[in-house]
Amino acid sequence: MQEKMISLQLVAFLLLIPLINANHTCSPPPCQCFSETTMICSDDHMKALPEHIPSQIKTLIVVASGISKLVSRLNSTLTKLVLLNNQVHTISPSTFEGMVGLEELEISGSPLMSLETGTFDKQENLTKLFLNNNKLRTLFPGIFDSLEKLEVLQLKGNVLSSINGPLFSKLYNLQQLDLSFNYLSSIDAEQLSGLNRLKVLHLDLNQISSLPADSFNANPQLKTLSLRGNKIIWLPRGIFAQLNNLEELNLRDNKIEELTTGLFPTCLKRLNLKENALDRLNSTTFDGLQCLTHLDLSQNKISQLSSDLFQNLTSLQHLDMSENHLVEIPSTFFKSLSLIKVIHLQKNKLRSIEDDLFSEQEMMSQLYLSENSLQSVPYGFFDPLDYQGLVQLQGNPWHCDCTLQYLYEWLNYSGNSLENLSQISCASPEPLKGRSLISLDKEQLVCGNNRSSSTTSTISLETIEMTSNTTTTTRKECTLQEANGAISIQCKLTTCPHMKLEVHFHSPDGRNVSYSMEKMWPQNYQCFNTTVTLTL
Ligand SMILES: *[C@@H]1O[C@H](CO)[C@@H](O)[C@H](O)[C@H]1NC(C)=O
Ligand SMILES: *[C@@H]1O[C@H](CO)[C@@H](O)[C@H](O)[C@H]1NC(C)=O
Ligand SMILES: *[C@@H]1O[C@H](CO)[C@@H](O)[C@H](O)[C@H]1NC(C)=O
Ligand SMILES: *[C@@H]1O[C@H](CO)[C@@H](O)[C@H](O)[C@H]1NC(C)=O
Ligand SMILES: *[C@@H]1O[C@H](CO)[C@@H](O)[C@H](O)[C@H]1NC(C)=O
Ligand SMILES: *[C@@H]1O[C@H](CO)[C@@H](O)[C@H](O)[C@H]1NC(C)=O
Ligand SMILES: *[C@@H]1O[C@H](CO)[C@@H](O)[C@H](O)[C@H]1NC(C)=O
Ligand SMILES: *[C@@H]1O[C@H](CO)[C@@H](O)[C@H](O)[C@H]1NC(C)=O
Ligand SMILES: *[C@@H]1O[C@H](CO)[C@@H](O)[C@H](O)[C@H]1NC(C)=O
Ligand SMILES: *[C@@H]1O[C@H](CO)[C@@H](O)[C@H](O)[C@H]1NC(C)=O
Ligand SMILES: *[C@@H]1O[C@H](CO)[C@@H](O)[C@H](O)[C@H]1NC(C)=O
């Protein structure tokens, strides 16, 4: 991924060069002046940096060259040097001695395995250092000690497996540190000591499995912390306790099974717990997170929710609980979430939803309930929601009887806002199985089989066949009703005049019963949209 991005950048550079007025007089090929102050070199025959860089040039970019060693001192007034996708494997400590004005340095995408102590000793004005996608194995203590003005340090995509001692302890001004895509197995307070201005720390895609409780005690200014894609099972109590400024915490794709109470700092705005192993959440887990606006709990194993779990999340706007094992949601569960806009509940096992579940969610504009086990929607359920919003309901086994008339009408009026409307289809009763709900007529949504008033066991409908010998085909639209022991079949016809209906039942005692009915209308009889009833 990282390498792909770099090669895309490379393509962009190569395309841009001929488009811009290249000034060939400013330096000999393979370098070209990109603007008055920027020089770009890209040639795989190039073996060293240009010896003379005109003094007006402040930025030098070397892309995909054949440079493998940086050994000689180069005097220049460059403020920015970018070496992208080269073959550099050796850098002598004197290389940058004559570039004391450097403010930004990038050496990325090279097979560089180590850096000698002293390499950056003269770069007192450096504010950004990018050493991404190299092959750095270890970093010697002291290597960054002269970089007191450094604000951004990226070491992504190397092969660092440990950090020895307080490597960053002199980086008093560091605000962003990115150590993602390495092999770090742990991180602790000593390694991050001195970084008391650090605002952004990325440790994504490492091998971190445990974190001591004091890991981030020295970094009280942290605003963003990402530990995505590690192997964390458990977070000790108090680990984030000093992070009173933390706004974004990304713990996605770990192995977290449980969350202790009071774990998260109170200013947190975004919390990502996607792809973990959470099954139960103590009702006090999110207490005190009154600033939280985004919470992602998707792809966990949550099966039960206590009704007061979110009672203090009064600022929450975006909630994702998709791909869990939820079977039901307490009716007061979302009560405090009066600012919520988006709720993802798709791919759970919800069997039913309470009619007043969203009675106070007036701001809600997106609701995802697709791929659950819902058979019906309570009367009035969608009434509090914004009709302009987006609702997804497909992939549920809808039982298309009279209880679904509310949903049917709601879909008929607000259908435009439903994504994949035609995929909302009936799983039962048998005659309507597979039919899209909105393609039905409202009259087909009937409750004939009233189990509570009828004790006679029902016989099951096998097939209904309807044939007509007129030139146009007859639409097959039939529903079965059973009430007080009497069975009737209603079919809606769009063409006439001759109709033959055959019904095959399979009774519980193993018998097969067939009924048939034939009806003739006079020639030229206009019987469009006629309903015929066969009573057995
Ligand atoms: C090219 O660069 C040289 C040296 O910087 C400058 O003297 C000259 O005017 C530039 N030519 C054009 C066409 O920009
Ligand atoms: C670079 O500058 C140093 C000190 O100013 C000087 O000793 C050295 O000769 C210079 N090197 C080149 C290649 O100009
Ligand atoms: C470092 O930056 C300061 C302030 O911008 C400037 O005065 C100084 O000349 C710079 N040092 C070097 C060696 O360029
Ligand atoms: C939830 O956490 C609190 C505080 O840690 C504890 O007292 C309580 O017993 C826990 N409740 C459950 C159901 O585990
Ligand atoms: C959570 O909300 C309840 C009721 O609004 C309140 O009494 C309680 O103090 C809050 N808890 C925290 C930790 O803020
Ligand atoms: C469907 O909506 C239209 C208006 O958009 C309305 O005229 C019609 O009666 C509705 N049908 C049902 C079954 O509610
Ligand atoms: C909605 O339907 C379109 C077209 O059939 C399909 O490509 C898309 O994946 C569907 N979306 C969902 C969420 O099922
Ligand atoms: C089903 O039975 C219940 C209770 O006997 C009754 O109130 C209800 O009206 C019946 N529904 C239908 C559709 O017959
Ligand atoms: C349709 O079939 C019926 C009975 O089989 C027959 O009496 C009638 O003439 C047929 N009509 C046409 C248009 O073929
Ligand atoms: C009833 O019909 C089914 C197929 O529809 C068949 O497998 C079964 O043998 C029949 N039973 C009897 C008693 O004829
Ligand atoms: C029959 O009903 C369908 C939809 O239910 C409608 O589109 C059609 O216009 C109706 N035909 C007549 C002749 O009323």
Side-chain angles (χ1 to χ4, degrees):
M1 186 65 194
Q2 295 292 319
E3 280 171 18
K4 200 169 178 182
M5 263 171 62
I6 284 175
S7 62
L8 283 177
Q9 273 176 0
L10 167 61
V11 170
F13 276 128
L14 296 178
L15 288 176
L16 277 170
I17 291 166
L19 294 178
I20 306 284
N21 276 339
N23 187 341
H24 294 276
T25 61
C26 109
S27 67
C31 299
Q32 295 184 333
C33 288
F34 191 68
S35 72
E36 273 183 22
T37 57
T38 304
M39 190 156 91
I40 297 181
C41 315
S42 181
D43 186 331
D44 54 9
H45 298 305
M46 188 177 171
K47 298 294 178 206
L49 292 177
E51 267 176 32
H52 176 69
I53 300 167
S55 60
Q56 79 275 14
I57 298 295
K58 296 296 171 204
T59 299
L60 173 62
I61 299 170
V62 180
V63 185
S65 76
I67 301 176
S68 60
K69 291 180 178 176
L70 290 170
V71 282
S72 52
R73 177 193 162 114
L74 180 69
N75 293 349
S76 84
T77 55
L78 290 176
T79 56
K80 179 171 172 179
L81 174 60
V82 177
L83 304 171
L84 219 53
N85 279 20
N86 296 291
Q87 303 302 318
V88 181
H89 55 71
T90 305
I91 298 179
S92 92
S94 62
T95 305
F96 304 117
E97 268 178 9
M99 297 187 215
V100 292
L102 274 186
E103 290 165 12
E104 191 174 331
L105 174 60
E106 169 149 20
I107 307 167
S108 291
S110 277
L112 187 64
M113 281 167 28
S114 67
L115 283 167
E116 286 185 47
T117 311
T119 305
F120 307 119
D121 270 6
K122 297 290 190 306
Q123 272 62 55
E124 285 171 13
N125 272 2
L126 203 66
T127 56
K128 293 178 182 168
L129 177 57
F130 304 100
L131 296 167
N132 298 327
N133 303 308
N134 295 303
K135 300 266 184 289
L136 294 172
R137 277 174 204 285
T138 49
L139 291 165
F140 298 108
I143 177 107
F144 301 126
D145 279 5
S146 55
L147 306 179
E148 288 186 15
K149 289 193 182 164
L150 200 67
E151 291 172 6
V152 179
L153 176 58
Q154 293 189 356
L155 287 157
K156 289 187 280 187
N158 284 287
V159 286
L160 299 171
S161 56
S162 65
I163 290 170
N164 304 321
L167 184 64
F168 312 116
S169 63
K170 301 277 168 58
L171 302 179
Y172 306 115
N173 284 298
L174 198 68
Q175 294 180 16
Q176 293 184 28
L177 175 60
D178 197 333
L179 288 162
S180 303
F181 298 95
N182 278 289
Y183 295 93
L184 299 174
S185 56
S186 68
I187 197 96
D188 65 35
E190 192 206 6
Q191 290 151 0
L192 300 176
S193 71
L195 301 181
N196 53 9
R197 296 216 180 157
L198 196 66
K199 290 189 176 137
V200 180
L201 176 59
H202 285 270
L203 292 163
D204 302 351
L205 289 128
N206 275 288
Q207 306 286 324
I208 299 170
S209 57
S210 69
L211 287 162
D214 66 350
S215 299
F216 307 109
N217 279 9
N219 321 104
Q221 297 299 323
L222 266 187
K223 276 194 154 79
T224 301
L225 173 59
S226 183
L227 287 156
R228 178 177 172 180
N230 280 286
K231 297 180 166 8
I232 302 166
I233 294 172
W234 184 74
L235 291 159
R237 189 183 296 267
I239 183 166
F240 307 124
Q242 308 299 317
L243 306 182
N244 290 323
N245 295 295
L246 197 69
E247 291 179 358
E248 192 171 338
L249 177 58
N250 191 346
L251 293 164
R252 180 175 171 173
D253 186 16
N254 275 287
K255 314 229 174 299
I256 303 170
E257 290 169 3
E258 208 183 330
L259 296 169
T260 56
T261 297
L263 187 63
F264 303 114
T266 51
C267 265
L268 207 57
K269 290 186 175 146
R270 288 168 177 263
L271 175 58
N272 193 339
L273 287 159
K274 183 173 178 159
E275 284 182 83
N276 275 287
L278 297 168
D279 55 359
R280 262 162 206 271
L281 294 168
N282 186 316
S283 62
T284 58
T285 307
F286 303 116
D287 265 9
L289 298 184
Q290 273 106 340
C291 305
L292 201 70
T293 59
H294 287 68
L295 176 60
D296 194 340
L297 287 164
S298 61
Q299 293 184 25
N300 277 283
K301 297 173 183 167
I302 305 166
S303 56
Q304 279 182 17
L305 297 170
S306 71
S307 59
D308 48 359
L309 181 66
F310 291 165
Q311 68 169 345
N312 292 50
L313 303 186
T314 46
S315 302
L316 200 66
Q317 293 176 16
H318 197 291
L319 172 66
D320 195 338
M321 299 194 77
S322 60
E323 297 184 63
N324 276 287
H325 302 276
L326 298 174
V327 174
E328 56 181 8
I329 298 175
S331 67
T332 56
F333 187 68
F334 297 112
K335 198 169 185 295
S336 315
L337 312 186
S338 54
L339 299 177
I340 196 90
K341 291 185 179 137
V342 180
I343 296 182
H344 287 266
L345 288 165
Q346 72 270 22
K347 297 191 182 173
N348 275 286
K349 296 175 178 170
L350 294 174
R351 283 200 292 253
S352 63
I353 33 180
E354 307 278 340
D355 57 350
D356 55 351
L357 190 61
F358 298 120
S359 56
E360 286 161 50
Q361 280 61 51
E362 285 169 13
M363 315 277 280
M364 191 138 81
S365 58
Q366 290 179 34
L367 175 61
Y368 297 84
L369 284 166
S370 46
E371 295 183 62
N372 275 287
S373 302
L374 298 172
Q375 294 197 308
S376 193
V377 162
Y379 186 83
F381 180 78
F382 291 113
D383 292 358
L385 304 188
D386 181 0
Y387 275 116
Q388 302 306 310
L390 179 139
V391 178
Q392 280 203 352
L393 295 168
Q394 77 275 6
N396 281 288
W398 299 110
H399 181 62
C400 296
D401 69 0
C402 65
T403 64
L404 223 57
Q405 285 184 0
Y406 167 74
L407 177 62
Y408 179 89
E409 279 175 22
W410 187 79
L411 292 179
N412 183 41
Y413 284 107
S414 58
N416 291 342
S417 65
L418 263 94
E419 213 173 280
N420 299 18
L421 182 63
S422 63
Q423 290 173 22
I424 302 172
S425 48
C426 308
S428 59
E430 191 61 31
L432 298 179
K433 190 173 175 177
R435 295 284 302 272
S436 157
L437 179 56
I438 47 147
S439 75
L440 301 177
D441 290 311
K442 194 179 161 190
E443 292 71 37
Q444 289 177 279
L445 299 170
V446 288
C447 291
N449 189 355
N450 198 337
R451 283 170 207 281
S452 55
S453 67
S454 161
T455 49
T456 59
S457 72
T458 58
I459 56 177
S460 65
L461 188 65
E462 287 267 305
T463 54
I464 294 179
E465 275 172 30
M466 196 159 59
T467 53
S468 166
N469 63 356
T470 52
T471 46
T472 37
T473 48
T474 306
R475 262 173 73 199
K476 296 178 186 174
E477 296 223 348
C478 299
T479 53
L480 174 75
Q481 299 184 43
E482 185 194 345
N484 306 322
I487 296 165
S488 64
I489 293 160
Q490 280 199 338
C491 294
K492 192 160 183 177
L493 303 178
T494 49
T495 56
C496 295
H498 176 253
M499 199 256 334
K500 187 175 170 206
L501 184 68
E502 260 182 51
V503 190
H504 303 278
F505 290 106
H506 186 66
S507 70
D509 58 13
R511 282 183 307 123
N512 290 337
V513 189
S514 298
Y515 297 92
S516 69
M517 187 186 90
E518 247 180 290
K519 196 162 169 93
M520 286 284 289
W521 282 271
Q523 206 72 34
N524 304 325
Y525 178 75
Q526 300 290 307
C527 67
F528 297 106
N529 294 345
T530 306
T531 302
V532 293
T533 306
L534 171 66
T535 306
L536 310 173

